[in-house]
Amino acid sequence: MRSPRRPRLLVPALLCALAVLAARPTDATDTPSGSGARLSAEVARLYEKAATATRQYEAGRRAAEEEREKVRRFEELLDRQRRKIAAVNEDLGRLAREQYRSGGGLPLTARMVLADDPDALMRGHRAVRQAELAIDSAVESSRRAEARLAADEAKAAAAWQRLERSNAELAGLKRNIERTLETARGRLQGQADASVAAGSCPGAVRLDQPEVRFTRAWVAPVESYELSASFGSGGARWAHRHTGQDFAVPVGTPVRAVGAGRVVRVSCSGAFGMQVVLQHAGGYYTQYAHLAAVTVDQGDRVGTGQWIGQSGSTGNSSGPHLHFEVRVTPSMGSALDPVPWLEKRGVTL
């Protein structure tokens, strides 16, 4: 069972870590007015920071929900306990009324003299006294239980309120990071559009790769996404049919090599805008188009999951997304449906 203290310690620690990140002085790679390489690195760093802030906020939100659920349960238990005490008190009142009706107001000696069966009276008296003692004990036990429940409810309510305050701070830090990221994304897309308009690639941006070891040979081209236009679908933006699978992601999202291979093409013009094409074993090729930056050069060897670019909206694009194709040649016209192709390799989109 998870310790109830953990949520209280988790959120303040996360807040401290985020505050340090948010307040950290910018270095050469964070300068907003720097070169395209520094801007690309800034977007990558902010993307990771925003993802971390989101995870931390969600963890804090779940912890607050758990504490609020505890408060609700304690309130229900308290309500039942109070009804139980009221019922016991009603029993006491009923017993007192019964004693009064049966002569309970007379001294016991007088009742024995007047009674037809003194032994039966004594037995009845003992039974009544035992019932009184049992009810008194039940009332005292119920009141102690009520006090414990009230204390537990107060503790849970205090923990919930602390988490709510911490989550409000986390939400503010998260919004600040996301606003900064959105500004940087706009600048990155602007530089990418200028490069594509000029028909020249700015060169590979060597970003710091995350230390992730993939146990599978194949992965999805982006980590978090929504699927949009699919293979073979029609539309005014394509001459015939859509030749790949689109992944709706914000500008600057890291784009990954779906499998190990070699970079056979990097280009920055035409309908696909900034794009990378990889060659894989077995005679297959994958294309990653409409990028805002590339992080590899032609001829590079890449591993599964390695960042090869950042998503964008260059070329013939209606908005930020990754256009992903699987081909049997490096050129257009040989595309396969990428969804079943990836599924056969253990990647379900």
Side-chain angles (χ1 to χ4, degrees):
M1 180 176 176
R2 187 170 62 181
S3 169
R5 296 185 179 182
R6 186 165 298 174
R8 302 175 192 172
L9 299 175
L10 172 66
V11 175
L14 298 180
L15 274 170
C16 291
L18 270 178
V20 170
L21 285 171
R24 189 182 69 179
T26 57
D27 54 26
T29 61
D30 301 330
T31 306
S33 59
S35 68
R38 287 198 293 272
L39 180 55
S40 187
E42 179 190 10
V43 170
R45 180 180 63 82
L46 288 169
Y47 177 90
E48 289 298 303
K49 189 188 286 189
T52 299
T54 298
R55 288 193 296 270
Q56 292 169 343
Y57 173 77
E58 288 301 316
R61 186 187 59 77
R62 287 192 297 271
E65 287 295 324
E66 289 173 6
E67 290 299 329
R68 183 160 60 181
E69 179 61 21
K70 285 182 187 177
V71 173
R72 188 191 64 78
R73 290 198 301 268
F74 281 129
E75 286 176 348
E76 289 179 353
L77 289 170
L78 268 171
D79 187 55
R80 287 201 294 269
Q81 192 66 37
R82 286 163 182 157
R83 287 200 300 269
K84 180 179 177 182
I85 291 174
V88 171
N89 284 329
E90 177 62 26
D91 288 342
L92 273 175
R94 194 162 45 248
L95 180 63
R97 290 191 297 272
E98 186 64 29
Q99 280 187 288
Y100 179 77
R101 284 195 298 269
S102 62
L106 290 173
L108 180 61
T109 304
R111 278 186 281 150
M112 290 180 66
V113 170
L114 297 172
D116 295 330
D117 188 350
D119 289 337
L121 178 63
M122 284 299 297
R123 288 195 297 272
H125 177 75
R126 284 195 296 271
V128 168
R129 182 57 185 157
Q130 288 172 351
E132 288 175 339
L133 290 173
I135 290 174
D136 287 343
S137 176
V139 169
E140 182 60 27
S141 176
S142 294
R143 284 176 179 160
R144 286 197 301 269
E146 180 185 19
R148 286 194 300 270
L149 284 169
D152 289 339
E153 180 191 33
K155 288 179 184 177
W160 171 33
Q161 290 164 3
R162 283 195 300 271
L163 284 164
E164 287 288 287
R165 289 193 296 269
S166 297
N167 285 344
E169 294 180 39
L170 274 170
L173 287 169
K174 179 173 173 286
R175 285 193 298 269
N176 288 338
I177 293 169
E178 288 171 345
R179 280 196 296 267
T180 305
L181 174 58
E182 191 61 31
T183 300
R185 280 170 167 159
R187 295 199 308 272
L188 179 64
Q189 182 61 47
Q191 290 189 356
D193 288 337
S195 296
V196 171
S200 61
C201 289
V205 178
R206 301 300 182 179
L207 299 177
D208 292 334
Q209 298 282 328
E211 294 183 4
V212 178
R213 294 183 180 275
F214 291 95
T215 57
R216 296 177 299 166
W218 301 91
V219 296
V222 284
E223 184 176 359
S224 181
Y225 55 85
E226 287 186 14
L227 296 177
S228 49
S230 59
F231 180 82
S233 58
R237 304 191 70 86
W238 311 300
H240 300 289
R241 290 286 176 177
H242 193 231
T243 54
Q245 174 64 57
D246 286 352
F247 295 78
V249 289
V251 171
T253 301
V255 174
R256 312 184 295 190
V258 296
R262 183 173 64 88
V263 180
V264 295
R265 179 178 297 164
V266 175
S267 62
C268 300
S269 61
F272 288 120
M274 202 175 289
Q275 64 165 319
V276 172
V277 177
L278 304 182
Q279 181 183 24
H280 305 280
Y284 292 104
Y285 298 80
T286 54
Q287 180 207 29
Y288 312 78
H290 305 309
L291 304 176
V294 295
T295 61
V296 290
D297 285 318
Q298 192 162 312
D300 284 354
R301 291 280 179 181
V302 297
T304 300
Q306 181 179 328
W307 289 358
I308 58 173
Q310 291 169 286
S311 64
S313 187
T314 55
N316 182 17
S317 171
S318 59
H321 72 284
L322 170 69
H323 174 86
F324 174 73
E325 285 192 19
V326 176
R327 301 171 176 171
V328 294
T329 74
S331 303
M332 289 181 60
S334 61
L336 306 172
D337 189 342
V339 173
W341 188 87
L342 284 171
E343 284 180 349
K344 289 179 181 178
R345 288 154 180 80
V347 180
T348 302
L349 301 179

